[in-house]
């Protein structure tokens, strides 16, 4: 659904620098917008955050750019003359007011921007391993080897680096002379750490390490160890009949063994991996509510503070216009001030344009997919491509693409990426066009309801879909199944 990278580059070449910056700003999700605004505030002193009590604040405290002598404002001119200075090219009358792009949700007063949101402090996976390393009695050389091994373990808990490569890393980077036998010895020590299965080189070793831990704890896992040691390939391909014959197991015994193995953890580091706080949760850009059958859209502006042009820079510009002596140094100063005010005004306008564009795109999507937002039923989704929204909003397809690829909407049925609502069409026997997402949902339901002892093949799934009126080929069914991350029938088979 997204535009190709080469096409995006060609489009960007036709845009002005300011337009490019606007497009980039449009692409920033709500979760990162606050940081982007902070960067602009740091770079441009003419831009500042307005406060609700700004008028009261001005009465009590002088701005850092204001003159300390009140009489300076009255020299050679009345108050009317002061107000009549023409700086409209640089500062609009609305800039001193609260920015109208800040859309607040007054229905939720408990959501106070100033409240501190607590979050739990987490120990990273590698810190967890290093903590266990500190409890072992080892020589300094062994400890440095162990630290190198722990540092080579990925977030899933696997040691993907070859032993010989670790030996080379220690020699060239830390000037530690060792050999593969010594490194293997330390690897076996690290493999005793928690979580069970850590520091394995592959899935088979990972599962066997977990079973060996259970065996030491007194559990009867001998048959499971035999299956993974001698019939691992057959196990992964679900050729259970070969395992049954080879180990002389009856149906119940085989079912118990397979059931025990599939309860093991294939990624021991999965529950301890570092959590990127910016990606561990989704900050919705939109909220859609069903108010008695009427859909209402709210734009999340939590991370977009009210912005305005600095009063100090306004006053500096007015003071310059009042002055009679304008030497080269003063002209350079005023040029700098005007440039900063221009940049601040442009950024405020860009934020407004961003919010307007987001609202326009989301309102159009909400209207287009109204049935889904009312019911949450994926089969009600209509075929919709970027061009459909671009034509209705009058925006460029690349603009719609940027909004769809990086934004989320929260509904009463869950939180979705905007690109979730875009899909190609597929025709039915009656000639009606339906969304491919509708077909995928029906395909998923068919597989979910199948007998796991005899899963439906792609050919059978094609027949069932065609019986429902969908003109679809077997290869298309296979493609949709893969997009849904559903394995082939043989791998879905259960005992």
């Amino acid at each position: 659904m997204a535009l190709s990278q080469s096409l995006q580059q060609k489009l960007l070449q036709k845009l002005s620098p300011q337009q490019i910056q606007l497009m980039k700003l449009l692409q920033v999700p709500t979760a990162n917008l606050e940081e982007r605004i902070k960067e602009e505030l740091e770079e441009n002193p003419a831009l500042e955050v307005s406060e609700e009590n700004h008028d009261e604040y001005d009465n009590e405290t002088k701005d850092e750019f204001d003159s300390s002598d009140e009489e300076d404002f009255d020299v050679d001119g009345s108050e009317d003359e002061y107000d009549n200075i023409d700086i409209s090219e640089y500062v609009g009358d609305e800039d001193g007011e609260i920015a109208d792009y800040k859309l607040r949700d007054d229905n939720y007063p408990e959501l106070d921007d100033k409240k501190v949101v607590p979050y739990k402090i987490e120990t990273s996976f590698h810190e967890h391993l290093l903590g266990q390393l500190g409890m072992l009695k080892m020589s300094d050389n062994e400890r440095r080897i162990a630290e190198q091994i722990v540092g080579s373990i990925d977030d899933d808990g696997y040691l993907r680096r070859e032993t010989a490569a670790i030996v080379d890393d220690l020699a060239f980077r830390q000037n530690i002379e060792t050999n593969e036998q010594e490194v293997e010895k330390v690897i076996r020590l690290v493999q005793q750490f928690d979580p069970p299965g850590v520091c394995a080189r592959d899935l088979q070793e990972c599962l066997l390490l977990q079973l060996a831990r259970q065996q030491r704890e007194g559990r009867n896992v001998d048959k499971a160890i035999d299956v993974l040691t001698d019939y691992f390939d057959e196990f992964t391909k679900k050729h259970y009949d070969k395992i049954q014959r080879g180990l002389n197991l009856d149906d119940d015994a085989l079912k118990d063994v397979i059931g025990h193995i599939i309860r093991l953890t294939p990624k021991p580091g999965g529950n301890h991996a570092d959590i990127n706080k910016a990606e561990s949760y989704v900050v919705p850009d939109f909220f859609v509510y069903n108010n008695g059958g009427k859909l209402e859209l709210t734009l999340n502006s939590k991370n977009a503070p009210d912005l305005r042009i600095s009063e100090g820079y306004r006053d500096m510009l007015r003071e310059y216009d009042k002055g009679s002596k304008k030497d080269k140094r003063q002209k350079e100063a005023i040029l700098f001030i005007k440039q900063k005010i221009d940049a601040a005004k442009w950024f405020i306008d860009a934020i407004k344009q961003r919010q307007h564009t987001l609202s326009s795109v989301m309102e159009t999507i909400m209207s287009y997919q109204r049935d889904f937002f009312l019911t949450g039923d994926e089969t009600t989704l209509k075929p919709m491509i970027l061009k459909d929204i671009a034509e209705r909003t009058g925006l460029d397809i690349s603009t719609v693409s940027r909004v769809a690829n990086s934004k989320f909407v929260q509904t009463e049925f869950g939180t979705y990426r905007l690109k979730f609502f875009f899909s190609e069409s597929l025709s039915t026997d009656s000639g009606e066009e339906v969304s491919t997402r509708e077909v995928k949902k029906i395909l998923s339901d068919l597989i979910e309801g199948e007998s796991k002892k005899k899963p439906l093949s792609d050919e059978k799934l094609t027949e069932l879909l065609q019986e429902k009126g969908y003109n679809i080929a077997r290869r298309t069914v296979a493609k949709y199944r893969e997009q849904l991350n559903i394995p082939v029938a043989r791998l879905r088979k259960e005992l």
Side-chain angles (χ1 to χ4, degrees):
M1 301 305 302
L3 296 175
S4 66
Q5 187 174 0
S6 59
L7 181 56
Q8 289 188 27
Q9 290 176 346
K10 290 180 180 179
L11 290 172
L12 289 175
Q13 289 174 356
K14 299 179 180 180
L15 300 176
S16 68
Q18 285 193 337
Q19 288 175 316
I20 293 174
Q21 289 299 320
L22 179 58
M23 296 297 282
K24 290 181 178 179
L25 187 62
L26 180 65
Q27 206 165 310
V28 177
T30 298
N32 304 111
L33 183 59
E34 183 178 22
E35 189 62 31
R36 174 66 184 89
I37 291 174
K38 283 182 179 178
E39 291 176 1
E40 193 69 22
L41 288 169
E42 292 173 357
E43 293 176 4
N44 190 350
L47 183 69
E48 65 182 18
V49 180
S50 62
E51 300 177 8
E52 293 180 355
N53 61 343
H54 186 78
D55 292 337
E56 297 177 6
Y57 179 83
D58 281 346
N59 291 333
E60 297 175 1
T61 308
K62 290 286 184 182
D63 189 283
E64 62 179 311
F65 291 102
D66 286 345
S67 170
S68 58
D69 293 323
E70 295 181 2
E71 58 193 33
D72 289 348
F73 293 95
D74 299 322
V75 175
D76 297 330
S78 66
E79 183 177 350
D80 289 337
E81 290 174 335
Y82 174 76
D83 288 337
N84 287 333
I85 295 174
D86 184 13
I87 56 171
S88 59
E89 183 181 356
Y90 305 102
V91 184
D93 292 336
E94 73 278 7
D95 293 331
E97 301 172 355
I98 296 178
D100 58 6
Y101 67 84
K102 179 74 170 179
L103 303 179
R104 301 186 184 278
D105 189 354
D106 295 330
N107 295 323
Y108 297 90
E110 68 273 14
L111 296 180
D112 187 352
D113 287 356
K114 297 182 180 180
K115 289 182 179 178
V116 177
V117 180
Y119 61 89
K120 61 181 179 180
I121 298 176
E122 302 185 9
T123 302
S124 72
F125 178 49
H126 288 88
E127 288 172 344
H128 178 66
L129 295 177
L130 290 172
Q132 297 176 75
L133 180 62
M135 294 185 287
L136 294 180
K137 291 184 178 180
M138 311 174 93
S139 66
D140 290 342
N141 203 56
E142 288 176 330
R143 189 170 301 279
R144 293 173 70 182
I145 294 173
E147 289 173 351
Q148 181 70 31
I149 292 170
V150 168
S152 301
I153 296 174
D154 65 18
D155 287 342
D156 289 335
Y158 285 87
L159 179 63
R160 307 290 188 184
R161 198 115 173 97
E162 296 291 337
T163 306
I166 294 176
V167 172
D168 292 340
D169 290 343
L170 289 164
F172 291 114
R173 296 182 182 179
Q174 300 193 41
N175 196 28
I176 297 176
E177 291 293 333
T178 185
N179 52 57
E180 293 187 27
Q181 290 75 23
E182 187 176 13
V183 171
E184 281 290 339
K185 175 185 174 183
V186 179
I187 288 175
R188 287 192 292 273
L189 286 174
V190 177
Q191 287 177 342
Q192 306 308 310
F193 289 0
D194 285 324
V198 72
C199 200
R201 270 62 73 91
D202 53 42
L203 177 60
Q204 182 180 20
E205 185 178 21
C206 176
L207 299 178
L208 284 171
L209 285 170
Q210 295 177 57
L211 289 174
R213 179 81 62 92
Q214 294 179 7
Q215 189 179 51
R216 289 195 297 272
E217 294 171 352
R219 301 181 64 177
N220 184 13
V221 294
D222 293 347
K223 289 298 183 182
I225 292 175
D226 290 341
V227 169
L228 293 181
T229 302
D230 302 325
Y231 297 94
F232 182 74
D233 191 50
E234 288 79 4
F235 169 74
T236 58
K237 295 179 179 178
K238 293 197 172 185
H239 292 159
Y240 296 139
D241 53 339
K242 294 182 180 179
I243 298 175
Q244 199 166 4
R245 290 195 304 269
L247 295 177
N248 193 26
L249 300 173
D250 58 31
D251 290 344
D252 289 339
L254 178 63
K255 189 173 182 179
D256 288 343
V257 170
I258 300 301
H260 189 89
I261 292 174
I262 62 177
R263 286 193 293 272
L264 299 174
T265 305
K267 296 181 179 180
N271 294 329
H272 296 82
D274 292 349
I275 296 178
N276 185 331
K277 296 249 180 334
E279 298 174 353
S280 61
Y281 59 90
V282 171
V283 177
D285 302 88
F286 312 94
F287 301 91
V288 175
Y289 303 99
N290 181 356
N291 187 2
K294 181 181 179 181
L295 294 177
E296 297 179 353
L297 173 66
T298 301
L299 191 62
N300 183 356
S301 302
K302 185 175 179 65
N303 291 328
D306 298 327
L307 301 175
R308 68 173 196 173
I309 294 174
S310 167
E311 286 291 341
Y313 267 64
R314 290 168 176 269
D315 293 341
M316 290 170 67
L317 195 58
R318 293 187 180 108
E319 284 297 294
Y320 177 80
D321 278 356
K322 288 171 59 179
S324 58
K325 182 181 179 182
K326 295 181 175 62
D327 57 24
K328 181 179 179 182
R329 195 170 175 182
Q330 286 178 313
K331 289 181 180 180
E332 289 176 352
I334 202 63
L335 178 61
F336 173 81
I337 294 171
K338 289 180 178 179
Q339 287 174 342
K340 290 302 180 182
I341 289 178
D342 276 341
K345 183 172 176 60
W346 175 86
F347 188 77
I348 292 172
D349 289 341
I351 289 289
K352 292 179 182 179
Q353 182 62 41
R354 176 185 185 274
Q355 304 294 53
H356 173 75
T357 302
L358 293 182
S359 296
S360 177
V361 171
M362 188 62 233
E363 284 174 357
T364 305
I365 293 175
M366 187 174 67
S367 174
Y368 207 108
Q369 304 291 5
R370 184 175 187 276
D371 290 342
F372 172 82
F373 286 104
L374 289 174
T375 65
D377 184 358
E378 290 187 28
T379 61
T380 63
L381 286 170
K382 299 177 182 178
M384 184 178 77
I385 58 177
L386 296 173
K387 185 179 178 182
D388 295 327
I389 303 302
E391 289 177 348
R392 291 196 178 195
T393 58
L395 297 170
D396 190 88
I397 291 180
S398 64
T399 302
V400 177
S401 175
R402 281 174 169 80
V403 175
N405 284 330
S406 59
K407 306 297 183 294
F408 291 84
V409 57
Q410 181 174 308
T411 73
E412 59 183 300
F413 313 107
T415 302
Y416 303 88
R417 280 186 181 273
L418 260 60
K419 67 179 181 181
F420 167 83
F421 302 102
F422 292 84
S423 63
E424 300 290 342
S425 62
L426 188 75
S427 63
T428 63
D429 287 341
S430 61
E432 179 187 4
E433 287 193 344
V434 296
S435 168
T436 55
R437 191 169 293 281
E438 175 182 334
V439 180
K440 289 180 182 180
K441 179 65 169 66
I442 295 173
L443 177 63
S444 178
D445 290 342
L446 288 172
I447 293 174
E448 186 176 343
E450 71 185 359
S451 169
K452 297 307 177 184
K453 291 185 177 180
K454 193 176 180 181
L456 299 171
S457 64
D458 288 346
E459 288 79 7
K460 184 61 178 176
L461 289 168
T462 303
E463 292 176 9
L464 293 173
L465 285 169
Q466 289 175 346
E467 288 175 5
K468 292 180 179 292
Y470 298 100
N471 295 322
I472 190 169
R474 188 204 63 78
R475 64 178 179 274
T476 306
V477 170
K479 181 180 74 172
Y480 289 172
R481 177 180 50 73
E482 290 172 358
Q483 290 175 352
L484 291 169
N485 293 320
I486 298 175
V488 296
R490 175 171 52 80
L491 297 180
R492 300 199 305 271
K493 184 176 181 181
E494 298 178 3
L495 295 176

